[in-house]
């Protein structure tokens, strides 16, 4: 792998830094096999930066690799960056750009594991697990510390991490129970690391790893769909929704006064969620697995225009 020209260092990637100057004296750009480039830098004279670049380029990744940079630090620098006792750490920009910086020590004897684990945090910074404002049981996490969507539900099926309250995201949660740490270790495992460190959990099974890879190949993106139309008195209309990942779905129907509506969500002819009444606004909400669903809107009285806001979160 040859370094690319015009090395750069992006300040946004280290926006949360705890030391004043994070721009290393030497920066080189490297490319993966598809030509996507990323920066590796260090203040250490004579260090071979390509060693670290090869590990990063060989990870399971996508275009997000162009939004990461790696700082190879001295032991003293790493303490300033990550805190005493940390083997490595990751800074994710909080501006929504997806930029991130991986900080590792040149003296690290397990550098591949450290880089892979921290790259898992970089992926977490790109992917939606729960997402902004979404709660799953007692679990509510910030964007960038919520894993990825299919992986989260596969891990729940394997380990009941939410039902048994085994993971958390708050500052008071012990490191070994943090959801983002479990995601990062599962990602390292997917890349061939078998030195499993989170003893409270079993290593990921095949289905969990397949779900994680699916999230990388087809990332879940929250979206809102608006369905407008007119319904006749006593009539009914159906909208088909194809969901490719577990989804928090909420549909809200609004209509003029005098038009009574009923909303119903069904899959394979079986009702999943619904609401009906005499008001001008009706809502149906459910957490549903991937699949094809039919959202039905029916007039219980009156006719006229309607608007249904379908939130897929």
């Amino acid at each position: 792998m040859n370094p690319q020209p015009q090395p750069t260092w992006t300040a946004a990637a280290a926006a949360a830094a705890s030391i004043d100057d994070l721009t290393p004296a030497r920066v080189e750009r490297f490319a993966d096999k598809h030509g996507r480039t990323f920066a590796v830098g260090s203040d250490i004279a004579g260090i071979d930066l390509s060693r670290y670049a090869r590990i990063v380029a060989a990870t399971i990744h996508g275009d997000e690799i162009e939004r990461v940079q790696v700082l190879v630090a001295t032991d003293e620098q790493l303490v300033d960056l990550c805190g005493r006792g940390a083997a490595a750490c990751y800074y994710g920009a909080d501006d929504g750009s997806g930029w991130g910086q991986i900080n590792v020590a040149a003296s690290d004897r397990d550098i591949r594991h450290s880089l892979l684990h921290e790259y898992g945090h970089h992926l977490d910074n790109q992917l939606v697990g729960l997402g902004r404002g979404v709660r799953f049981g007692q679990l509510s996490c910030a964007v960038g510390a919520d894993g990825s969507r299919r992986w989260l539900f596969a891990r729940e099926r394997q380990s009941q991490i939410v039902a048994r309250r085994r993971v958390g995201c708050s500052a008071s949660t012990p490191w070994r129970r943090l959801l983002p740490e479990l995601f990062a270790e599962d990602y390292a495992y997917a890349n061939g690391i078998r030195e499993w460190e989170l003893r409270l959990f079993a290593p990921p099974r095949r289905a969990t790893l397949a779900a994680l890879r699916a999230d990388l190949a087809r990332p879940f993106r929250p979206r809102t769909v608006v369905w407008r139309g007119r319904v006749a008195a006593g009539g009914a209309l159906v909208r088909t929704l194809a969901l490719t990942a577990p989804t928090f779905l909420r549909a809200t129907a609004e209509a003029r006064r005098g038009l009574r509506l009923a909303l119903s969500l069904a899959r394979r002819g079986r009702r999943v969620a619904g609401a009906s009444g005499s008001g001008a606004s009706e809502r149906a909400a459910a957490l549903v697995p991937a699949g094809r669903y039919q959202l039905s809107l029916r007039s219980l009285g009156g006719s006229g225009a309607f608007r249904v806001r379908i939130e897929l979160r």
Side-chain angles (χ1 to χ4, degrees), residues 130-268:
L130 287 176
R132 195 180 308 277
V134 174
R135 179 177 289 275
F136 180 28
Q138 297 297 313
L139 193 63
S140 179
C141 305
V143 175
D146 57 355
S148 63
R149 178 59 60 88
R150 297 175 186 85
W151 167 84
L152 175 62
F153 286 87
R155 246 308 176 177
E156 176 65 10
R157 287 191 294 272
Q158 175 183 334
S159 308
Q160 293 187 295
I161 57 176
V162 177
R164 295 184 179 179
R165 301 188 183 186
R166 303 181 69 194
V167 295
C169 301
S170 69
S172 62
T173 303
W175 179 85
R176 294 183 182 277
R177 291 185 180 273
L178 283 168
L179 179 69
E181 298 302 333
L182 179 58
F183 176 80
E185 274 299 284
D186 277 6
Y187 173 75
Y189 198 92
N191 281 274
I193 296 294
R194 293 297 180 264
E195 294 78 22
W196 186 251
E197 293 187 350
L198 300 181
R199 303 303 181 188
L200 296 174
F201 307 96
R205 295 175 185 164
R206 184 177 300 176
T208 302
L209 295 177
L212 196 159
R213 291 190 183 95
D215 281 328
L216 301 183
R218 303 182 304 281
F220 173 79
R221 301 296 186 211
R223 66 189 191 278
T224 298
V225 178
V226 178
W227 177 23
R228 291 185 176 91
R230 295 184 65 86
V231 62
L237 297 171
V238 177
R239 174 85 177 242
T240 298
L241 302 171
L243 307 179
T244 60
T247 302
F248 298 86
L249 184 150
R250 181 171 64 180
T252 304
E254 298 177 350
R256 66 170 179 81
R257 290 184 179 277
L259 176 56
R260 297 173 55 221
L261 300 172
L263 274 178
S264 180
L265 182 69
R267 183 185 185 192
R268 297 172 183 169

Side-chain angles (χ1 to χ4, degrees), residues 10-239:
T10 305
S18 60
I19 61 177
D20 294 334
D21 184 8
L22 277 176
T23 302
R26 177 170 152 230
V27 180
E28 294 180 12
R29 291 197 72 82
F30 297 86
D32 70 2
K33 64 181 180 181
H34 298 292
R36 295 174 291 210
T37 66
F38 59 97
V40 183
S42 182
D43 289 328
I44 303 172
I47 191 168
D48 179 11
L49 298 180
S50 67
R51 174 195 177 198
Y52 305 90
R54 283 193 296 270
I55 296 172
V56 173
T59 60
I60 302 169
H61 66 268
D63 291 344
E64 82 290 329
I65 197 171
E66 295 195 311
R67 296 187 293 276
V68 74
Q69 59 195 32
V70 179
L71 178 65
V72 184
T74 65
D75 291 345
E76 293 77 12
Q77 286 175 324
L78 197 76
V79 171
D80 289 336
L81 285 162
C82 305
R84 193 166 300 279
C89 63
Y90 172 80
Y91 293 142
D94 57 5
D95 58 3
S97 65
W99 274 97
Q101 179 168 306
I102 294 172
N103 305 296
V104 294
S107 63
D108 190 344
R109 295 183 178 180
D110 197 10
I111 190 62
R112 184 168 179 267
H113 192 167
S114 295
L115 279 169
L116 289 170
H117 179 96
E118 300 307 326
Y119 197 90
H121 288 306
H122 181 59
L123 282 170
D124 195 345
N125 194 29
Q126 321 294 316
L127 301 173
V128 174
L130 287 176
R132 195 180 308 277
V134 174
R135 179 177 289 275
F136 180 28
Q138 297 297 313
L139 193 63
S140 179
C141 305
V143 175
D146 57 355
S148 63
R149 178 59 60 88
R150 297 175 186 85
W151 167 84
L152 175 62
F153 286 87
R155 246 308 176 177
E156 176 65 10
R157 287 191 294 272
Q158 175 183 334
S159 308
Q160 293 187 295
I161 57 176
V162 177
R164 295 184 179 179
R165 301 188 183 186
R166 303 181 69 194
V167 295
C169 301
S170 69
S172 62
T173 303
W175 179 85
R176 294 183 182 277
R177 291 185 180 273
L178 283 168
L179 179 69
E181 298 302 333
L182 179 58
F183 176 80
E185 274 299 284
D186 277 6
Y187 173 75
Y189 198 92
N191 281 274
I193 296 294
R194 293 297 180 264
E195 294 78 22
W196 186 251
E197 293 187 350
L198 300 181
R199 303 303 181 188
L200 296 174
F201 307 96
R205 295 175 185 164
R206 184 177 300 176
T208 302
L209 295 177
L212 196 159
R213 291 190 183 95
D215 281 328
L216 301 183
R218 303 182 304 281
F220 173 79
R221 301 296 186 211
R223 66 189 191 278
T224 298
V225 178
V226 178
W227 177 23
R228 291 185 176 91
R230 295 184 65 86
V231 62
L237 297 171
V238 177
R239 174 85 177 242

